[in-house]
Amino acid sequence: TGRVNIVHEAVDRWCEDETQGAKTALIHEREDRVRAFSFIELKRKSSQWANLWAERGLGPGDRMFIFLPPGPEIHLAMLACARLGVLFSPLYASLNYDELEFRFRDAGPRAVLTHPDLIERLPPESTGSVEFFFLSQGPAPEEMWTMDRADDRPETHEPAWVDPDTPLYLLYTSGSTGPPKGVVHAHRDMVGHLVTAQYALDLSPDSVLWTDGDPAWVTGTVYGAFAPWLCRAASVVQGDPFAASTWYRTLERHRISVWYTTPMTIRRLAAAGQDLPRRYDFSTLGHIASVGETLSPEAFFWVKQNFGLAPHDTWWMTETGMIMLANFPATPTKPGSMGRPLPGVEVAVIDALGRPQPVLTLGELAIRTPWPAMMVGIWGDPDRYQSYFRTEEWFATGDMAVRDEEGYFFHQGRNDDLIKVGDKLLGPYEIENVLHRHPAVREAGAIAMARGPGRVEVKAYVSLNPGYTPSARLNQELLTFVKTDLSAEVPLREVKFVAALPKTRSGKILRRVLRAGELGLPSGDTSRLEDDAGDG
């Protein structure tokens, strides 16, 4: 018919067979309470929620913000919205007043689903567009609805059959550079979700996938919900804050077979010591993948030593909607590489004119359009959306990379982070990677700063491992270490010791924050910085 709905493909069709429908689809754990939902239960519950919201007149063209603490209610709301054709936007529960105000003013949602503990944080002067406030649990004021009222609604709701390009979800991201942007994705993304889950994450109907990212992060939205369900696999969600023992126990308790994590999480686990992982049983674990930043060789070998499996790095963006590059389960893995393109995806390194470059040449990572999960817009900003398209055929990512002779891509930083050394361009990752190899360095970030016409200097920010203290001697040692390894021409003039580096929730270093601090300027939106809640 040319009409689709992702809920039908991810949930409803499995319920046509009672045996398949009874299979566990979602396992949520928080504060040692485990709640499990079969595909039939997801269909029934999301239908009841959709029926309640449809009574209020919500449907295609409307927008709903999901502002909840960790819980399965987030996933039920996502399904109910998709069932109605409503565009949903999951928000981090840790967002502050200003960050919430920006999102409300920008998207103008018609409805909000929140929790009694969070509703007081909503900015009243920016919620004029909101007609309906729903609470995940009661009691509620008279003008609000609690979702327990959905319990007596019908247990079926036919999905709204929509055009494949109908908006499905809206995620705000600032990434490592620039102000926040609302990235819009559509129902047709399901094709990319399904294929990448199979090829890059090795999912099958028997898989138990744990994507340890918040549902408000694109990885949690896509690979914590829709992608595994399209494969008829089970998805595990851990709602507790990060602790190494909690992460190990989750892998063992829920018999995880595929784990999709981040280098930041791996570093945290490594910092907790070598003895802890030996106390747990990881025998069901068959595949580990990571996303968020390049996985360092040290992290790669730490995982291999402690889990008996090589981690497989992947690369994609909120804008791409699906994994674009991966070290595949069935092919050799190269430590430090983002991997190779997914089948059917063409990736190149291009110059400023959009021309593909030869191997081992630094340039901007670009993707030939279209692909199944490509974003359909930037909310309210068509000019910003068009800025991604360097030419009609190439989508420019803003990431710098090189490609080797075997087709593996290596990330070299953002396009505004390049450093000229002689007649070559270096990315900050190359300097950071050298610093990481020094035993004193825990984390490193490098930025280039103009110091006059034609003169650029590099400043490195470094946090130290336990047992090392900042000193002038160590500073000089690190400067010499980099120049000896890379080139004496590297204009690294200063190393600054810091307690921690600013990062996105996925672990990417926010170099714009470092650069803004150096210039004495506001750092802009930092809504995705690490906080106590973490990513999961």
Side-chain angles (χ1 to χ4, degrees), residues 473-519:
R473 180 176 178 176
L474 180 58
N475 192 304
Q476 187 61 42
E477 183 180 327
L478 292 175
L479 290 172
T480 304
F481 187 75
V482 170
K483 295 188 177 192
T484 301
D485 191 284
L486 280 178
S487 167
E489 297 183 48
V490 173
L492 179 59
R493 299 290 180 258
E494 182 182 355
V495 172
K496 182 175 181 179
F497 298 109
V498 294
L501 292 169
K503 295 188 291 293
T504 66
R505 293 173 185 269
S506 61
K508 293 180 182 177
I509 296 171
L510 282 165
R511 296 186 184 88
R512 66 174 174 81
V513 175
L514 296 175
R515 190 175 291 111
E518 184 69 17
L519 297 173

Side-chain angles (χ1 to χ4, degrees), residues 11 72 155-156 178 348 363 405 409 423 456 511:
V11 175
E155 295 182 353
T156 59
E405 298 90 340
F409 287 79
D423 60 353
V456 174
R511 296 186 184 88

Side-chain angles (χ1 to χ4, degrees), residues 92 234 416 427:
Y92 288 102
D416 56 351

Side-chain angles (χ1 to χ4, degrees), residues 8-26 37-42 205-206 229-234:
H8 170 76
E9 300 298 338
V11 175
D12 290 8
R13 70 185 178 121
W14 306 126
C15 301
E16 296 170 2
D17 181 285
E18 188 174 343
T19 302
Q20 292 185 2
K23 187 176 181 295
T24 299
L26 175 65
F37 298 80
S38 66
F39 284 101
I40 290 174
E41 289 169 322
L42 287 183
D206 297 325
W229 296 337
L230 287 163
C231 297
R232 195 158 45 93

Side-chain angles (χ1 to χ4, degrees), residues 230-364:
L230 287 163
C231 297
R232 195 158 45 93
S235 175
V236 172
V237 178
Q238 173 55 258
D240 288 326
F242 176 83
S245 58
T246 301
W247 256 233
Y248 292 136
R249 181 176 53 80
T250 301
L251 290 167
E252 178 185 69
R253 181 177 191 176
H254 300 296
R255 300 181 62 79
I256 304 299
S257 58
V258 180
W259 179 27
Y260 200 18
T261 187
T262 67
M264 181 174 65
T265 297
I266 292 170
R267 288 196 301 270
R268 288 175 168 180
L269 292 172
Q274 296 275 58
D275 294 334
L276 198 55
R278 299 171 187 168
R279 306 175 191 175
Y280 297 86
D281 178 9
F282 306 129
S283 58
T284 60
L285 195 56
H287 185 60
I288 301 174
S290 69
V291 68
E293 60 174 314
T294 302
L295 191 65
S296 69
E298 292 79 7
F300 177 92
F301 289 109
W302 185 89
V303 172
K304 194 168 184 179
Q305 178 182 356
N306 288 276
F307 291 92
L309 297 169
H312 293 68
D313 213 345
T314 65
W315 178 91
W316 59 299
M317 306 164 64
T318 303
E319 293 90 333
T320 69
M322 69 183 217
I323 297 170
M324 305 300 285
L325 296 166
N327 288 276
F328 299 105
T331 59
T333 297
K334 287 194 177 184
S337 169
M338 300 183 286
R340 294 189 285 191
L342 268 290
V345 172
E346 184 178 346
V347 180
V349 173
I350 63 172
D351 64 11
L353 298 178
R355 298 173 300 196
Q357 298 298 289
V359 297
L360 302 178
T361 302
L362 182 65
E364 187 170 7

Side-chain angles (χ1 to χ4, degrees), residues 53-303:
W53 292 342
E55 291 174 12
R56 311 271 68 76
L58 292 173
D62 291 326
R63 296 171 294 286
M64 177 180 285
F65 277 1
I66 303 170
F67 184 47
L68 292 172
E73 292 79 11
I74 297 174
H75 296 79
L76 292 174
M78 289 162 56
L79 290 172
C81 285
R83 191 176 290 280
L84 289 170
V86 169
L87 175 65
F88 67 84
S89 181
L91 305 177
Y92 288 102
S94 57
L95 291 181
N96 64 32
Y97 187 94
D98 291 339
E99 294 157 356
L100 289 168
E101 184 178 44
F102 173 84
R103 286 153 177 76
F104 273 91
R105 289 188 184 279
D106 189 59
R110 190 182 179 198
V112 176
L113 173 63
T114 187
H115 186 277
D117 293 343
L118 297 178
I119 195 167
E120 294 299 325
R121 288 172 42 195
L122 298 181
E125 56 281 324
S126 304
T127 56
S129 65
V130 181
E131 296 179 39
F132 305 106
F133 289 90
F134 300 98
L135 294 182
S136 57
Q137 61 186 56
E142 186 175 329
E143 69 275 12
M144 299 181 186
W145 289 70
T146 55
M147 293 313 299
D148 57 10
R149 296 193 186 186
D151 292 345
D152 59 0
R153 265 56 181 184
E155 295 182 353
T156 59
H157 185 102
E158 182 76 3
W161 298 106
V162 298
D163 183 88
D165 285 329
T166 298
L168 171 66
Y169 68 88
L170 165 67
L171 286 183
Y172 283 90
T173 175
S174 59
S176 56
T177 60
K181 52 186 175 289
V183 178
V184 182
H185 280 278
H187 282 255
R188 65 168 163 78
D189 283 26
M190 68 178 84
V191 177
H193 298 172
L194 171 64
V195 173
T196 56
Q198 293 174 333
Y199 277 90
L201 300 185
D202 202 28
L203 291 193
S204 70
D206 297 325
S207 299
V208 179
L209 169 68
W210 180 26
T211 301
D212 59 2
D214 193 292
W217 182 33
V218 66
T219 305
T221 301
V222 174
Y223 295 100
F226 295 110
W229 296 337
L230 287 163
C231 297
R232 195 158 45 93
S235 175
V236 172
V237 178
Q238 173 55 258
D240 288 326
F242 176 83
S245 58
T246 301
W247 256 233
Y248 292 136
R249 181 176 53 80
T250 301
L251 290 167
E252 178 185 69
R253 181 177 191 176
H254 300 296
R255 300 181 62 79
I256 304 299
S257 58
V258 180
W259 179 27
Y260 200 18
T261 187
T262 67
M264 181 174 65
T265 297
I266 292 170
R267 288 196 301 270
R268 288 175 168 180
L269 292 172
Q274 296 275 58
D275 294 334
L276 198 55
R278 299 171 187 168
R279 306 175 191 175
Y280 297 86
D281 178 9
F282 306 129
S283 58
T284 60
L285 195 56
H287 185 60
I288 301 174
S290 69
V291 68
E293 60 174 314
T294 302
L295 191 65
S296 69
E298 292 79 7
F300 177 92
F301 289 109
W302 185 89
V303 172

